[in-house]
Amino acid sequence: MLARSSTVVRSGPIPAAAGEAAGEGRILRSLASARQGLVLLGGGAPVCTAPAERILGRPGPGSVAGWLRLLRDGTGLTRPELFGRLRRARGRTEAALFETRCGERTVMVECWPVPGEGWAAAIEDVTHRRAAESDAAEQARLDPLTGLANRLHLRERLDGALDRLRRTGEGCAVLFIDLDRFKPVNDTLGHPTGDRLLEKVADRLRSTAGEGDTVARIGGDEFVVLRAGLRDTGPVQALARRIVDLLGRTYMIDGQLLTIGASVGIALAPADGDDAERVLKNADLALYRAKLDGRGTFRFFEPAMDERMQARRRLELDMRQALARREFQLHYQPQLNLETDRLVGCEALIRWQHPERGTVPPGDFIPLAEEIGLIVPIGEWVIRQACRDAAAWPAPVSVAVNVSPAQFKSDRLVETVISALSNADLPAGRLEIEITEGVLLQENERTLHTLYRLRELGVRVSMDDFGTGYSSLSYLRSFPFDKIKIDRSFVHDMAKRPDGEAIIRAIAGLGRSLGMTTVAEGVETEDQMRRIRAEGCTEVQGYLVSRPLPVADLVGLLAGR
């Protein structure tokens, strides 16, 4: 047994004796050299090992009451709370854990009842452990790349700002920031350059934010600035304007000048919500509006934004079901050859006949389909259906299908075309794939490889809306298009602007020189038709020839011509 005649058990020679005395000596020497300290309380003077004194930084109290007072003062517990926890531990015959402060040290004390003896307490210095845990917790709240607050830390600070709102009435503002044109930097110059750019963006945000503001990075190129203690919106508007201006200035990264931009959405509490989820959501909706309004600007949240977003979500859900419900239809607009005065082809145009909405204009659902990735399955359906329909037309009338940039990225375009042609038993020469210049702007080599594979199948390829985009003549040199489609805006301006006819004449001449068919879109009047003929275009398409028709009506038109 451990004797209580000595208050402190220290290391050093202990007289050895046979049997129990020898065993007790070994135990005492082990306790004296252990990392944890041990204290025995009750039945007499406390017994305190030397490690316990080292941990406490002073000799242990000479009485049980002194030890209880030390424990109470270090934990901040009241006397009833301390004794209540000890009584519960005695009743359950289990340990009671206390974390207390002894000077600059954090000490863990584990007390448990010893039958017939009183209490034993193990004492451990956990100062370094708690410091490491605190550092880890702090790092867990920081973005590792920029050192800004992360989503977790932002949420904690926002919850605190909203608590302050409820206590004092002082509001807060959330500025949701998304970088414009950052993805091309990442894709073309690599992720290391993109990371260095993000670090510089973080530095600029730090410099423009106020002393009490929280700046966080919550996604790849998404940042948030939280301003608490807000009494009016004037400073928030000024801050948003500074952010847009500062982040839009040129950056120097590894000797390269880079220019991006920023769009900002702003939500205010309590006007736009009094809980964190709603405030963040409304700031995101305002950001979405800023992007729709041309990017490089800021917008405050308005309730109508939420209504528009809800309508957009409903449209998205309906569109995801439209394919399965067979609500999409194809109409076809014929193309007339000006030399033979015969219909030589038709452009497939998708229509959505919704059971409740009625006819949904393509301009309402095609951009959304491209944004959410549904354009690929919809585009595949269009190719297959157009081939099936065209197989019933008199040869050699062809069908033209518009293909989006997303379909070129999917790696399934060529296989879809092969399958559609085979299933419909349609000769490849009667299918025409229309692309815009936007397709050639992305992953040019990969896109050209796909175009050449289509050409090898015998499929014809045309450039749509020629003259409205970048119109680089290098595109016409890099791939031998079969057809150039002159955008309807030039046809519409022929009678109003003197350069309209000159542009059409130049494109028609370019097509003749390169052996490409030229099609003028949007021909609606006899005067436009006469002018187009005079400028040497090969084909025309527009309401003067025919409006887009359902396939049943088109078959009758083709038979009559």
Side-chain angles (χ1 to χ4, degrees), residues 72-359:
R72 186 186 64 196
D73 293 345
T75 59
L77 295 173
T78 65
R79 183 183 179 90
E81 289 172 338
L82 176 63
F83 277 91
R85 291 175 64 174
L86 291 173
R87 278 195 296 269
R88 285 193 296 273
R90 181 184 292 276
R92 299 171 184 171
T93 320
E94 61 183 24
L97 290 175
F98 302 92
E99 187 168 302
T100 183
R101 295 290 298 177
C102 292
E104 298 298 320
R105 301 183 187 220
T106 302
V107 177
M108 180 67 71
V109 180
E110 181 179 3
C111 301
W112 65 93
V114 179
E117 294 289 337
W119 289 85
I123 300 176
E124 182 180 3
D125 186 350
V126 294
T127 305
H128 296 302
R129 185 197 307 171
R130 291 292 180 261
E133 291 171 352
S134 177
D135 290 343
E138 182 66 22
Q139 291 301 315
R141 288 166 170 76
L142 297 179
D143 173 55
L145 175 64
T146 63
L148 298 176
N150 62 11
R151 187 181 292 271
L152 172 64
H153 196 184
L154 171 68
R155 183 59 184 267
E156 292 173 346
R157 298 298 298 271
L158 179 55
D159 287 340
L162 294 173
D163 286 342
R164 178 177 176 179
L165 165 66
R166 287 183 278 270
R167 292 193 317 271
T168 67
E170 294 180 339
C172 64
V174 170
L175 292 83
F176 209 131
I177 305 157
D178 187 80
L179 301 183
D180 303 327
R181 302 183 300 278
F182 174 75
K183 188 176 184 300
V185 173
N186 236 11
D187 292 345
T188 58
L189 301 179
H191 290 284
T193 299
D195 287 348
R196 284 190 284 275
L197 179 57
L198 290 173
E199 290 172 343
K200 288 187 175 291
V201 168
D203 290 340
R204 293 189 183 186
L205 285 174
R206 286 190 189 94
S207 69
T208 195
E211 183 178 347
D213 295 342
T214 299
V215 183
R217 178 181 176 228
I218 63 170
D221 61 348
E222 294 178 333
F223 297 82
V224 170
V225 175
L226 168 64
R227 172 160 290 186
L230 196 65
R231 296 189 178 277
D232 62 84
T233 61
V236 177
Q237 184 169 334
L239 174 61
R241 188 175 286 111
R242 286 200 308 272
I243 289 173
V244 171
D245 173 63
L246 195 59
L247 297 190
R249 297 181 185 178
T250 302
Y251 299 80
M252 175 68 75
I253 308 288
D254 296 335
Q256 299 185 80
L257 294 176
L258 303 177
T259 302
I260 57 173
S263 301
V264 182
I266 308 166
L268 305 173
D272 302 328
D274 56 5
D275 65 90
E277 290 294 341
R278 181 170 294 277
V279 174
L280 288 170
K281 171 197 163 190
N282 289 340
D284 195 18
L285 288 173
L287 171 63
Y288 182 75
R289 186 68 208 182
K291 286 183 170 293
L292 287 181
D293 288 348
R295 302 173 184 265
T297 188
F298 64 89
R299 291 290 181 269
F300 282 88
F301 171 77
E302 298 172 0
M305 294 177 182
D306 193 27
E307 295 171 8
R308 284 193 294 267
M309 184 57 67
Q310 294 299 330
R312 179 181 180 274
R313 289 197 183 101
R314 288 192 295 269
L315 182 65
E316 177 183 336
L317 291 174
D318 288 349
M319 186 164 49
R320 291 186 183 278
Q321 298 171 349
L323 268 179
R325 294 175 177 175
R326 299 184 179 180
E327 294 172 2
F328 290 120
Q329 302 172 357
L330 291 184
H331 287 198
Y332 296 92
Q333 187 168 37
Q335 297 167 345
L336 178 73
N337 183 284
L338 292 177
E339 183 178 352
T340 65
D341 201 33
R342 296 178 64 86
L343 299 179
V344 293
C346 300
E347 180 181 0
L349 302 169
I350 191 169
R351 298 290 186 265
W352 181 8
Q353 195 64 36
H354 191 275
E356 298 175 0
R357 300 173 185 267
T359 301

Side-chain angles (χ1 to χ4, degrees), residues 222-517:
E222 294 178 333
F223 297 82
V224 170
V225 175
L226 168 64
R227 172 160 290 186
L230 196 65
R231 296 189 178 277
D232 62 84
T233 61
V236 177
Q237 184 169 334
L239 174 61
R241 188 175 286 111
R242 286 200 308 272
I243 289 173
V244 171
D245 173 63
L246 195 59
L247 297 190
R249 297 181 185 178
T250 302
Y251 299 80
M252 175 68 75
I253 308 288
D254 296 335
Q256 299 185 80
L257 294 176
L258 303 177
T259 302
I260 57 173
S263 301
V264 182
I266 308 166
L268 305 173
D272 302 328
D274 56 5
D275 65 90
E277 290 294 341
R278 181 170 294 277
V279 174
L280 288 170
K281 171 197 163 190
N282 289 340
D284 195 18
L285 288 173
L287 171 63
Y288 182 75
R289 186 68 208 182
K291 286 183 170 293
L292 287 181
D293 288 348
R295 302 173 184 265
T297 188
F298 64 89
R299 291 290 181 269
F300 282 88
F301 171 77
E302 298 172 0
M305 294 177 182
D306 193 27
E307 295 171 8
R308 284 193 294 267
M309 184 57 67
Q310 294 299 330
R312 179 181 180 274
R313 289 197 183 101
R314 288 192 295 269
L315 182 65
E316 177 183 336
L317 291 174
D318 288 349
M319 186 164 49
R320 291 186 183 278
Q321 298 171 349
L323 268 179
R325 294 175 177 175
R326 299 184 179 180
E327 294 172 2
F328 290 120
Q329 302 172 357
L330 291 184
H331 287 198
Y332 296 92
Q333 187 168 37
Q335 297 167 345
L336 178 73
N337 183 284
L338 292 177
E339 183 178 352
T340 65
D341 201 33
R342 296 178 64 86
L343 299 179
V344 293
C346 300
E347 180 181 0
L349 302 169
I350 191 169
R351 298 290 186 265
W352 181 8
Q353 195 64 36
H354 191 275
E356 298 175 0
R357 300 173 185 267
T359 301
V360 183
D364 288 353
F365 71 88
I366 291 296
L368 178 59
E370 291 177 337
E371 183 179 337
I372 65 178
L374 277 180
I375 195 65
V376 173
I378 291 175
E380 290 181 357
W381 175 83
V382 170
I383 292 173
R384 295 181 186 278
Q385 187 61 46
C387 288
R388 283 194 293 268
D389 291 343
W393 303 343
V397 177
S398 62
V399 63
V401 177
N402 289 279
V403 176
S404 74
Q407 288 175 267
F408 270 82
K409 288 182 178 180
S410 70
D411 294 327
R412 299 205 307 255
L413 178 59
V414 176
E415 287 69 23
T416 299
V417 169
I418 294 173
S419 173
L421 292 172
S422 175
N423 292 337
D425 197 22
L426 181 73
R430 292 180 60 191
L431 175 62
E432 183 179 306
I433 296 295
E434 293 188 2
I435 66 171
T436 62
E437 294 166 271
V439 171
L440 293 168
L441 287 175
Q442 56 179 25
E443 303 183 39
N444 197 30
E445 291 186 7
R446 180 180 177 183
T447 299
L448 288 175
H449 176 70
T450 300
L451 290 174
Y452 276 107
R453 288 185 65 192
L454 292 171
R455 171 60 63 81
E456 290 170 1
L457 295 175
V459 174
R460 295 189 294 169
V461 182
S462 66
M463 179 179 285
D464 197 13
D465 299 334
F466 186 79
T468 59
Y470 292 87
S471 299
S472 173
L473 295 180
S474 63
Y475 297 152
L476 301 182
R477 296 182 61 190
S478 61
F479 182 79
F481 289 92
D482 296 282
K483 184 181 290 187
I484 303 172
K485 301 191 73 175
I486 304 171
D487 186 70
R488 65 182 61 249
S489 61
F490 297 111
V491 175
H492 182 267
D493 291 344
M494 286 184 71
K496 300 177 181 178
R497 299 178 54 176
D499 59 354
E501 284 188 62
I503 291 174
I504 292 178
R505 185 183 312 123
I507 297 175
L510 181 65
R512 282 194 303 273
S513 300
L514 297 175
M516 300 177 184
T517 301

